[in-house]
Amino acid sequence: MPVTTREIHLVARPEGEPKPSDFALVERRLPDPRDGELLVRNLAISVDPYMRGKMTGIRTYTDPYDLHAPMEGAAVGVVETSGDASFPENAVVVHNAGWREHAIVPAAGVRPVNVTDATPATAYLGVLGMPGLTAYVGLLHKAGLREGDTVFVSGAAGAVGGIVGQLARLWGAERVVGSAGTAEKVRYVTRELGFDAAFDYHDGPVADQLAKAAPDGVDVYFDNVGGEHLEAAIGAAKDFARFALCGAISGYNATGPRSGPRNLGLIVTKRLTLRGFIVSDDPELAGEFHRDVAPAVAEGRITFRETVVDGLERAPEAFISMLRGGNIGKMLVRTS
Amino acid sequence: MPVTTREIHLVARPEGEPKPSDFALVERRLPDPRDGELLVRNLAISVDPYMRGKMTGIRTYTDPYDLHAPMEGAAVGVVETSGDASFPENAVVVHNAGWREHAIVPAAGVRPVNVTDATPATAYLGVLGMPGLTAYVGLLHKAGLREGDTVFVSGAAGAVGGIVGQLARLWGAERVVGSAGTAEKVRYVTRELGFDAAFDYHDGPVADQLAKAAPDGVDVYFDNVGGEHLEAAIGAAKDFARFALCGAISGYNATGPRSGPRNLGLIVTKRLTLRGFIVSDDPELAGEFHRDVAPAVAEGRITFRETVVDGLERAPEAFISMLRGGNIGKMLVRTS
């Protein structure tokens, strides 16, 4: 039976910080799914920093969003009508047709997930989804975490950063240090996530605060922020330190080029390695990630928080807020 | 029999570009070598960019030069008096007691070299010495050159850059592109060294010239220069490009911090790897380097030039000139 549903379209390419008027809420009627398709009622959709890059209209590692079409991104939902025998009705699935209340998706683009008390459906958008995998791949495979390392992670209270810090502890780091943007976030990462030290980057130069938090220097830096944070991490790096560069949210809304770190000469003298990475390049690591991380989440050795905004119509607001640092843990929009 | 000799001392730490008055020519009497020592008469000494960093008084990967002591660095010379049976008189050796006409050195710190028509003594300060090893280690082991790569090297007419380009060709690069600082150097690297394209970085923005020289992008960048060159290479990089960062001569005389590349966000979206390295970290690679490269030099498949300044007293002038780009190929000072 056809359903009437709503979706968020991108209608203008943002200049600087996105505005609500860059988005439109569009009502739409969906037909029944065909053979091999599923009609999914989304429970929650993800808003993620990488989406800002796809709004620019410039192709990078992925195609930009089209204008006047739904934004896309991770979502978790319930199968309402199934055109594929391997997905029964009421199965909970993750897929990439976010920013809408219902979606018709090919069964091949859908992954069933195991919902329990410890791992609710929304966990598959965060700790057990792309952000968790990003933390895992970046920390263990790109930065090559070793036992005894001192690890620094920026954006430590975010969906990725919070997992990085906890994985670092579980995988043998000697000291885990984070930065975040509010006092509440600093308390969260030290008290709930077990970071050894953290600081609010508004409280003074990052370099000075990092020198206090990691006085013996940094072996691994996981960069979510860029800019001043990257410069400070280069300054604090020990010889042969390894950096996994995941993103640079401090610059995502910038309207022009920004000067880079002034201390890049240290990359040579300290023999640093800086590796940029995109999680989707390593799909073969998803298996070991779930095998390693899902039990740790189920047993409470890795914890997570969510910042939930209710109602699809508020997805742009949630996205804009997330870019401003308005979230602790994963920023989500509950859509049903 | 004791000899009277001359050496160059560092007497002031340069601010900005070194001046002749930062150095002093000092006469000195050397005793006879003791057991296990050699008295070497230097034939030529090397002036190298890394020496600028050791003049600052700041410890990096190596100790700074002491004031009122001889500058040190690679030299090639003849054993005049031997206190070690394995080094006969008149043996030609390489050692690290440069910037002087004679030196007493422990035999353990000396390496005998094989002088032929194709490999004169001075070759062991350049193509078969530290600069050649730097090119080899950086290109093959740090950047991980692969067949079919497009390689960009800055400072292409220098002691290191000229070897990088020739190694790249011999090891299967598809296209080799270089930058240099004069039209004569550009002709040298394209006509004598076999680069496919080169440009004078004074002729326009590096990014624009690189885009013309490597229109399909760059897989490997070997950085000797830093600054605008590094930014241009990041801009021209293909996805998954690898950068070996060897030095940043454009900033060595800078008196304050300089802004870094404005496009570091591309490290993430293009998944670039930037590796700083110092050749002395990998002494175990010297064996394969000599095995691979010495025959290529002997057979003329790798060529080199030298810019020679005569007389120890002119070593400061040669050093200052080298930092300004006054050399083609290896800058040397002939001392006897």
Side-chain angles (χ1 to χ4, degrees):
Chain A
M1 206 175 64
V3 297
T4 299
T5 190
R6 299 187 304 168
E7 53 193 34
I8 302 279
H9 290 196
L10 182 69
V11 297
R13 304 213 177 271
E15 294 282 321
E17 185 173 54
K19 300 180 298 296
S21 60
D22 296 327
F23 305 88
L25 184 67
V26 174
E27 202 171 274
R28 182 173 165 190
R29 209 166 158 73
L30 295 179
D32 283 329
R34 290 173 293 189
D35 263 10
E37 290 181 340
L38 311 173
L39 172 67
V40 176
R41 175 172 48 85
N42 286 338
L43 299 170
I45 66 164
S46 181
V47 291
D48 295 286
Y50 79 86
M51 293 171 173
R52 180 64 185 85
K54 285 171 70 80
M55 296 169 75
T56 59
I58 297 164
R59 174 161 172 96
T60 57
Y61 61 93
T62 174
D63 287 322
Y65 289 124
D66 290 327
L67 287 180
H68 305 289
M71 297 271 298
E72 299 211 317
V76 64
V78 175
V79 176
E80 289 213 326
T81 312
S82 177
D84 185 302
S86 51
F87 288 93
E89 283 174 21
N90 295 317
V92 178
V93 296
V94 166
H95 59 91
N96 206 48
W99 295 72
R100 58 196 107 180
E101 290 174 328
H102 295 80
I104 290 179
V105 287
V110 155
R111 192 165 59 85
V113 296
N114 179 31
V115 175
T116 69
D117 283 352
T119 58
T122 52
Y124 294 93
L125 302 182
V127 61
L128 294 176
M130 183 272 285
L133 180 59
T134 300
Y136 183 91
V137 169
L139 181 69
L140 304 181
H141 290 272
K142 305 300 174 182
L145 179 75
R146 299 178 197 139
E147 275 193 32
D149 278 347
T150 292
V151 175
F152 173 46
V153 53
S154 53
V160 173
I163 311 302
V164 170
Q166 295 180 86
L167 288 175
R169 290 226 64 101
L170 289 173
W171 263 254
E174 170 75 21
R175 186 169 177 79
V176 179
V177 167
S179 72
T182 68
E184 183 189 0
K185 290 180 180 182
V186 167
R187 281 193 299 275
Y188 166 63
V189 303
T190 51
R191 295 187 191 169
E192 286 187 41
L193 302 185
F195 281 61
D196 297 289
F199 57 87
D200 179 345
Y201 62 81
H202 299 100
D203 285 349
V206 177
D208 296 349
Q209 299 197 78
L210 180 56
K212 275 183 213 149
D216 297 328
V218 166
D219 299 288
V220 163
Y221 174 48
F222 191 107
D223 191 18
N224 294 305
V225 173
E228 185 190 355
H229 275 83
L230 180 56
E231 180 172 294
I234 291 171
K238 296 187 202 176
D239 285 351
F240 304 103
R242 294 94 60 204
F243 286 19
L245 306 192
C246 176
I249 198 168
S250 67
Y252 287 177
N253 285 332
T255 49
R258 302 186 320 148
S259 292
R262 295 162 295 179
N263 57 357
L264 291 189
L266 296 177
I267 297 177
V268 179
T269 55
K270 294 184 174 184
R271 296 83 121 193
L272 308 183
T273 299
L274 278 60
R275 285 185 82 177
F277 76 102
I278 299 291
V279 65
S280 51
D281 289 330
D282 298 290
E284 76 285 3
L285 296 174
E288 68 168 73
F289 161 68
H290 283 286
R291 195 180 59 238
D292 283 349
V293 174
V297 173
E299 294 158 17
R301 290 181 288 126
I302 293 178
T303 68
F304 62 96
R305 274 211 219 170
E306 296 167 344
T307 298
V308 180
V309 167
D310 267 304
L312 178 73
E313 65 283 4
R314 294 180 62 202
E317 172 196 328
F319 178 69
I320 293 165
S321 169
M322 180 273 301
L323 288 176
R324 289 181 185 171
N327 55 306
I328 289 190
K330 183 74 191 91
M331 181 67 106
L332 296 173
V333 179
R334 193 182 286 139
T335 49
S336 112
Chain B
M1 205 174 64
V3 297
T4 298
T5 188
R6 300 186 303 168
E7 52 194 34
I8 302 280
H9 288 197
L10 183 69
V11 297
R13 302 212 178 274
E15 293 284 319
E17 185 173 55
K19 300 181 297 296
S21 61
D22 297 328
F23 305 88
L25 186 67
V26 175
E27 201 171 276
R28 184 174 163 191
R29 209 166 157 74
L30 294 179
D32 282 329
R34 290 174 297 190
D35 265 10
E37 288 181 342
L38 313 173
L39 172 67
V40 176
R41 175 173 48 86
N42 286 336
L43 299 170
I45 66 164
S46 181
V47 292
D48 295 286
Y50 79 87
M51 294 171 173
R52 180 65 185 85
K54 284 171 71 78
M55 297 169 75
T56 60
I58 297 164
R59 175 164 171 92
T60 57
Y61 61 95
T62 174
D63 288 322
Y65 289 124
D66 289 328
L67 288 180
H68 305 290
M71 297 272 299
E72 298 210 317
V76 63
V78 175
V79 176
E80 290 215 323
T81 312
S82 178
D84 185 300
S86 51
F87 290 93
E89 283 173 22
N90 294 318
V92 179
V93 297
V94 166
H95 59 91
N96 205 49
W99 294 72
R100 59 196 107 183
E101 291 173 331
H102 295 81
I104 291 180
V105 288
V110 155
R111 193 165 58 84
V113 297
N114 181 31
V115 175
T116 70
D117 283 351
T119 58
T122 51
Y124 294 93
L125 302 182
V127 62
L128 294 176
M130 183 273 286
L133 181 58
T134 299
Y136 183 90
V137 168
L139 181 69
L140 304 182
H141 289 273
K142 305 301 174 181
L145 179 74
R146 298 177 199 140
E147 275 192 33
D149 277 347
T150 292
V151 175
F152 173 46
V153 52
S154 55
V160 174
I163 311 303
V164 171
Q166 294 180 86
L167 288 175
R169 289 226 65 100
L170 289 173
W171 263 255
E174 171 74 22
R175 185 169 177 80
V176 180
V177 167
S179 72
T182 67
E184 184 189 359
K185 291 180 180 182
V186 167
R187 280 193 299 274
Y188 167 62
V189 303
T190 51
R191 296 187 191 169
E192 286 189 38
L193 302 186
F195 282 60
D196 297 289
F199 58 86
D200 180 344
Y201 62 82
H202 298 100
D203 285 349
V206 177
D208 296 349
Q209 297 197 76
L210 179 55
K212 273 183 218 153
D216 297 328
V218 165
D219 298 289
V220 163
Y221 174 49
F222 191 106
D223 191 20
N224 295 306
V225 172
E228 184 191 355
H229 274 83
L230 180 56
E231 179 172 294
I234 291 171
K238 296 188 201 176
D239 286 352
F240 304 103
R242 295 94 60 202
F243 286 20
L245 306 191
C246 175
I249 199 167
S250 67
Y252 286 177
N253 285 333
T255 50
R258 303 187 318 149
S259 291
R262 295 162 293 180
N263 57 357
L264 291 189
L266 296 177
I267 297 177
V268 178
T269 55
K270 294 183 175 185
R271 296 83 119 194
L272 307 183
T273 298
L274 277 63
R275 286 185 82 176
F277 76 102
I278 299 290
V279 65
S280 51
D281 289 331
D282 298 290
E284 77 283 2
L285 296 174
E288 68 168 71
F289 161 68
H290 284 285
R291 196 181 58 238
D292 284 349
V293 174
V297 174
E299 296 158 17
R301 289 181 289 125
I302 293 179
T303 68
F304 62 95
R305 272 211 219 171
E306 295 167 345
T307 300
V308 180
V309 168
D310 266 304
L312 178 73
E313 66 282 3
R314 293 180 62 203
E317 171 196 327
F319 178 68
I320 292 165
S321 168
M322 180 272 300
L323 289 176
R324 289 182 185 170
N327 55 306
I328 289 190
K330 183 76 191 89
M331 181 68 107
L332 296 173
V333 180
R334 194 181 285 138
T335 50
S336 109

